[in-house]
Amino acid sequence: MFDSMLEMGHERVLVGTDEATGLKAIVAIHSTVLGPGLGGVRMWPYRSFEEALADALALARAMTLKAAAAGLPLGGAKAVILGDPATEKREGLFRSFGRLVHSLGGDYITAEDVGTSSREMDWIAQETPFVTGVSVDRGGTGEPSPSTALGVLCGMRAVARHLWGDPDLAGRTVVIQGLGAVGRSLAEGLLAAGARVLGADPNEKAVEAARALGVEIVPIDEIFSLPCDIFSPCALGGTLNASSIPALRTRAVAGAANNPLAEPEADARLLASRGILYVPDFLINSGGLIHVYHEFIGRTFGETEARVRRLEGFVHDTLETAVARGILPLEAAREEAQARIDAARTLRARAWDQAVRRKTAELKT
Ligand code: NAI
């Protein structure tokens, strides 16, 4: 565990159990340099502690990058609960998890993720204030996915401006892989903007809801080879790889899915070699993070929407920087995020430095 933490740069990992409720949880705090680590709690039937730990560490590190790329005063953290969300979601278990979160004194703020929802956040909120994404009935702002979808839509406008000199998406063709919470909301926004939207999903209910909106449904195995302006991965991670990328007939890839590239560096290069612009996931899918962060600090829906819309500028600037410097957008986005973290670390070191000088001077007198 120490080796993994040191290699990936994690600050702290807390492992918690509770015999009374059956809780087995891991909280991974990657960085608190920019602020407290905000990241969801995932509930999943992991086969082993090692598998759960590896997931928590990787997810926490990705949150540091996502928050920094969005310019938020947040660090990166994530939690996992070992268990089956279909059968083991009990109030006692989540309240016990809430007490674990509280023991970190605010260095970690939790929220929903795969396998958890605002109902569980309501239970956690009974034990700690360091939770966001609680239900509207309990004074929260509910589901973050519409904000994630809005952020992706704004990112697509930046792509259009970058590639075609006009952010307007009217008349553009977008293929969405995965018509779940984010994919459906994104389709709605795109159709309202005048785009043509095609999509696929193995889930019949998701397909029917999307069809009702006006999405043209296509077979799942044909999704990669459809000619389009933008391909949008909004299903699970790793769908773009050495076998699917050569089939793509698009100008850009921009979607909500976390880690859509199976091998980030190699696949980003493969996309670039085919003349396909890849917008990094952590840069374009932070609308949901902005949503839960704004709930935590008490901002209004209007303020949240305005902040999410600023992603258009963030994405556009990164794409332009990448061209100017002759590097990939993935590299540019990573470097920009890292520069924000490094600058904050320097400021923090200076503040400490001043505090020590003051104390030393005080002791001398
Ligand atoms: P979701 O679970 O509501 O929707 C995912 C959809 O993908 C499901 O309808 C599923 O049937 C479909 N799917 C699975 N395999 C597929 C395949 N091979 N081809 C086509 N469709 C397939 O999840 P949600 O919330 O919409 O999230 C989508 C992605 O965006 C996930 O990767 C998630 O981690 C990421 N994300 C979501 C955020 C949010 O606010 N919900 C925030 C940031 C990232």
Side-chain angles (χ1 to χ4, degrees), residues 52-77:
L53 177 67
D55 207 24
L57 292 178
L59 291 165
R61 183 172 63 172
M63 290 309 294
T64 301
L65 210 53
K66 193 183 291 199
L72 298 174
L74 293 173

Side-chain angles (χ1 to χ4, degrees), residues 17-240:
T17 59
D18 181 357
E19 205 183 345
T21 62
L23 178 76
K24 287 181 190 161
I26 303 170
V27 182
I29 300 180
H30 179 254
S31 171
T32 55
V33 173
L34 285 172
L38 198 170
V41 51
R42 178 166 295 194
M43 187 172 193
W44 194 254
Y46 294 102
R47 282 162 301 182
S48 65
F49 171 78
E50 288 72 22
E51 191 188 30
L53 177 67
D55 207 24
L57 292 178
L59 291 165
R61 183 172 63 172
M63 290 309 294
T64 301
L65 210 53
K66 193 183 291 199
L72 298 174
L74 293 173
K78 203 94 175 187
V80 297
I81 293 179
L82 290 82
D84 187 347
T87 55
E88 295 176 61
K89 286 209 269 192
R90 292 181 301 272
E91 180 172 347
L93 182 97
F94 280 90
R95 289 187 64 160
S96 174
F97 175 72
R99 292 191 288 277
L100 189 70
V101 171
H102 198 64
S103 75
L104 286 163
D107 280 353
Y108 170 57
I109 302 164
T110 197
E112 54 260 80
D113 196 74
V114 174
T116 59
S117 65
S118 47
R119 181 187 60 159
E120 289 78 59
M121 299 311 117
D122 293 352
W123 290 336
I124 294 169
Q126 293 182 53
E127 302 290 341
T128 181
F130 302 118
V131 56
T132 176
V134 301
S135 62
V136 176
D137 293 350
R138 304 290 293 259
T141 57
E143 269 296 298
S145 38
S147 295
T148 304
L150 177 64
V152 174
L153 183 78
C154 292
M156 287 182 178
R157 284 175 52 84
V159 167
R161 191 168 137 211
H162 178 75
L163 288 179
W164 306 299
D166 183 354
D168 194 356
L169 294 166
R172 298 279 165 209
T173 302
V174 180
V175 169
I176 304 179
Q177 181 191 34
L179 299 164
V182 178
R184 186 175 56 248
S185 183
L186 174 63
E188 214 169 351
L190 284 166
L191 290 164
R196 178 181 175 213
V197 183
L198 297 93
D201 196 300
N203 181 313
E204 248 334 285
K205 270 194 188 155
V207 162
E208 282 321 311
R211 205 196 303 271
L213 289 174
V215 175
E216 297 167 48
I217 303 300
V218 294
I220 291 207
D221 48 4
E222 284 174 24
I223 194 107
F224 296 110
S225 56
L226 295 168
C228 60
D229 295 302
I230 303 176
F231 180 85
S232 187
C234 293
L236 306 175
T239 62
L240 293 170

